[in-house]
Each structure stands twice: as structure tokens, then as C-alpha cells.
Amino acid sequence: MKGKSLFNINIIFFLICLAVVFLIHLGGSKIFAQEEEIIIYPQVLYSDPSPDNPLSMQATNVPLSQEITITFTQPMDADTVDEAFHFYQEGTDEFLNNLKYNGLLYIEGATLTFIPSSDLAPGTTYWIKIKSTAKSAQGAPLDGDGDGVGEEGEDDDWKLMLTTVGESIISPPPPSPTQLPDKWSEVYGQKQGLSGKVTSLAIDGQAHLWVATYDPYGLYRLNGQSFEDKISSFNYSPINGFLCLAADRQGSLWVSPDTRGQSDPNAPRLARWNEGIWQKVSAKNLGLTQDEAILKIAFDSSATAWMITSEGRVVSYNHKNGQVISYPSEAIDPYAMLSGALLVDNQDNVWVGSAMSGVYKLPKGKDSWEYYYDNSFPPYTTWEISADYAGNLWMGTTIGLLKLAPSKGTPGEWTRYTMANTGQGLPSNVVRSLAVDPVRGKVWVGTAAGLAKFDGQKWTNFAKEEVSNLSDKNITALLVTPTGDLWLGTDQGLMKRDEVSPYIVNSFPADGGQIKDRIRITFSEPMASDTVQRAFTLMDAVKATIDPNNAGEFVWYNDHTTLEFIPSSTLFDGKTYTIILDTSQAKDLAGNPLSAEKDKITFFVQENQRSGPSFTGNDNDVTLSGSGCFINSVMRHQSLASSWLRRLWELIQHLRVYLA
């Protein structure tokens, strides 16, 4: 009986095994097929700028201030899209000259936004490329050609060609990346589209530099390194030139066109550039005579324009309500003879210069003027007035540079700087132009004999050849930018002096992050590569120094504003390292040292970065440390099959025990 029962058990076991094989043969593929993942490849749904013709993938007449927005059909993986995004000018290398580092790149969900740090060049062709290595949040590669399959090749790269509005203008050539030249740029002149002698400079709220010239007269805006001629947009003729430029405290640019001698009562004497349109104010509306011009403009905090005219009057104009107030010279002082110098200080006090020594002040909210002078000085004319944040008044005169320091209970304390008492630091005693850097305390002085700088203690005379290669010594206009750079106008054109220390804009990954195969450091301006590499120190967690030349490779991009350090296999996975840049050695192309605000970056080398995908987990959970939909799908099926067969085997064992 026992033998017969064992025989029956074996028969049942054999039949069950046959059934299992049959089910696996007929239904196993269907079971697995139910788990097969359908891959939906991401595509570009929309772009701004959009192509004129979807078949041509070309956008024309793109605004110079264009921001780039690209919308995908599904959320994307930010890291892979960042690596895959290229924006470059036609004819340049897409890797070495990738302009994405010259702006802000945001990737959030299914939207990419790129905001260039400056306007695009006019009449220029650019390319936007997103390589097919960009992946969705689910790991599917980009389907750039829209055929429904992402194949990670050049055919699946998404591309858009865009051409900006305007005519292409010659720009100054970039400096050598390894040479440290003098801090002066080359002269911007006729070769770059700027004609005439510079008379006035101003910067608007969008950080555009405006330039007025004469002989011949002109009005230009510097966009990046390209000049735009704004004469044609003014749309009024005839004009004898533009006498001065100024920006109000809200950033709007104002100009004073010289339209004297015309019988037209609507001839403009003042104009405001507002969102691409000139808003003109006539001589009649300002109460000016037919032969009266505006020599100087300054603004108070309410955007009221204060002006000195060629007939020696001070006029205020509120463009919001059209109110005009006039102060004839005799109302200021019966003996007043104004020189044309004008300043509105931070307290909204109005200062004007005298042609017969001293300055006049109209306190805010008052109607009567005050006179300031030092009778120990010989007679002089005040040509220019400026002020620093400490409240000191600086005046360019015919007897040198004067300083009026505020003092309680007295009109103020006067100081006179001349060629004699500055040890020839001042090139000439006749100071015609002046610019004060209120943040850094530098005073720039322009004379017909050259340029000088006073930092509060030390004078630097740039007229001396051993100090500077400044070619034109007749300084006609000076302007300090908010960042501290100096623009200088001469009879030959325009020059710029780099006075700003570079700094680290960002690093990828961020400080303290993990690297995959490299670390990228973006600087605020082009760097002298050899100085940065000499300043580069690599340390491990125990602060032992590692020679970076033996531990990796340096690669520079984007006119030497971006450095990539690619670690070699000598760096161990799972370890922390620190990059330190010696700020006294790392310099920009003008020789300015790296700012110490950010000079250290710590990064972590991920484990298994060079060993390929690896798998960990238990019977019910398999995790892939790499990526790829195909590999994930295969591993998921292997896991499912293993788990299903194991449970079936356990069931058979239980049946055998039960039947026995």
C-alpha cells in the first residue's frame, strides 16, 4: 500500500511538472509581455524664438535681447539636458565657444530657459543645439528628429538656427588668453563703427553704454562689443549734434540735441529713450529761446531733470506733469556767471559751478541759493562737479582738483590738489573731466595732458609712458560703471580700462556636490589660463596636496571664461577633495587678481563612476546605479522570472509533503 501511494505521488508530481512546463511555454511570454515597458521618447514641443518655417528650423529677425525658451513633451532630467545644451555663434566651435556659460540656464520640469548675460550681436547667426544625450526624467533619450525613436546620435540632435535683427558690426578682436596686456582696451573708433570725438558718456538701466560725438556728430549705443547708430532712430533733422547725455535714477537715458537756430518752435531740445522710442520735449515746452541749448543734465530722486543752458540759466523739468521752473543767473547771484558744471547729490541738493570761482548750492526744498568758495585760492572756473558717498564734493577747475569736505558748523573744508603738491601725479592743473567711483573711493581726473587716478592716498599719472600705453592724452569724457570699470573718451575715440577683479560665478556641481567625470568652474570674465593653473591646488580629505597636473586635465572654453578639470584615475572613488585657487596668482587678462569672495570648492567623487553599471538589492528589489530603459527592462524581467519560478518551486515542495 505504501509503495502504491508513493507511485501515485510521483505520478501527480510528474503531471504537475508537465503542467508547469506547458504553462511556461504557452503563457510565460504573455506574463512577461504584460510587464514590458513602453518607452515614450521626449521631443521638443515648442521653442521661443520659433522657426519661421517648421521645415527649415530657422528663425530670423530675432531681437537682440531674446531669451531662449524650449518646452519638451515631458519632464526632463536637468543634468543631462544641461550637458546637452549648446548655444554658439555660427562659424565657431560649439564646445570651445558654448555661450551657455555666458548667461543663466534654468531647467525645470519640461521647460528649459536660457537668459544671455548680454544682448546678442546684431545681424549675427547663432545655433541652438540640444544633443540626443539629453534624457527625460524616466531616462529615455531625446528624439530630436521627431521620428518616434531616440537613438542617441547626431541624427537625433535637435537644432535651431537663429539670425538677429540689424546689420553685423565689426567688433574688437578678443585678447590673447595667455598674455597679460595693459589694462586698456584698444581704441574703439571708425573700425568699430564709432565716428567723431567723444563728448559725453552715460549708462542706462540696462547697462548699455551711450556715446555722443562731434566732428562728425553722432549718437551710439554699445551693445556687448558692437555699436548701434541711434541717429536714424531720432527722426529729426537738422541737428547740430548732441551736447550731453545723462541717465535718470530709474535708468532712462536722456539726451540734449543741439537744434539751435531753427525757427521751428517744436524743435526738440531734450529727449528721453523709452522702450525703443524717443520722447521729445521742445524748446517751447521748456521755456527756452530759439538760440538756447542745454549744456548739462542731472536728475534728482523724483526723476526731475535739472539743466544748465547756454544762456546761464538753471531749469528744472518734471516729465510726469510737465512743470518747468527757471532760475536765471541773476536770481542765483547778481554777480553769478555759471560755467556749465552741474551735480544733484544723494540728498537732492543741486550744485552748479561758477566761472568766477566757487560753487552754488540749492538745498532740497529751498528757493534760495548758497555760495561756497575759498578766498585763498586764485580766481578759477569750475568745469566739472562730482561727489562720493562720504559727501565730499570734487571739482575739476582751471587751478587743479578741488575737494570740499562737509563739516558741521562751517561751510566745509577745502583742499586743493595741483601738479606741484601731488609730485606730478596730476598731469595738468586744468581739469576738464571728472569721474568718482563712489563705492571704491577712486577719483579719476581727465586733463588735456593725460589721465590721473587718486585713491585717497596715492596718485597715479597715466600720462607717463612707463605707467600706461594710453595713446591719446586729451581726455574729453570719463565714466565709471557700477562694477568699477572706467570708460574714457578722447579725440581718437573710446577706451575702456579694466579695474574689476574677476570672481567665480558658479561651479558644476556646486560646492560640496558630487562629480560624475569632471568639475566645471565659470569665471566672471576671461582669465589668463596659465595664472589660474599655477594657482590651482588640489587637496584630499587629510589636507595632503596633490599635483593637479598628475591628477587630471585642464580644458578651457568660451574665450577662457570656463575651466573644466577632468580628474584622472588617481582620484579614488568615494573620497572628498578640495580645490583651492590662490587669489594672488589667478588673474584675468588685465592682470586683476581673483576676488577672494570665493576661492575654494569642495567636491565628492562618486563611487563606481569608472566601473560601469552595478546592481545591488534583494530578491524583491533590484536597483540599477546606471541608467537606460533597455537595461532596466531586462533586469526587471529577470527579477520577475526568478521570483515567480522560486514561488512555484516552493509550492511543488509543499504539495509533495502534503501528498506524502
Side-chain angles (χ1 to χ4, degrees), residues 145 190 217 232 317 341 394 444 504 510:
D145 58 6
Q190 291 185 353
Y217 76 84
S232 58
Y317 168 70
W394 296 87
W444 295 92
I504 295 175

Side-chain angles (χ1 to χ4, degrees), residues 408-437:
K408 292 183 179 180
T410 66
E413 181 181 349
W414 289 85
T415 305
R416 179 187 174 197
Y417 300 93
T418 65
M419 295 176 65
N421 65 19
T422 61
Q424 301 297 313
L426 197 61
S428 168
N429 285 334
V430 180
V431 178
R432 298 299 298 265
S433 54
L434 195 63
V436 175
D437 184 344

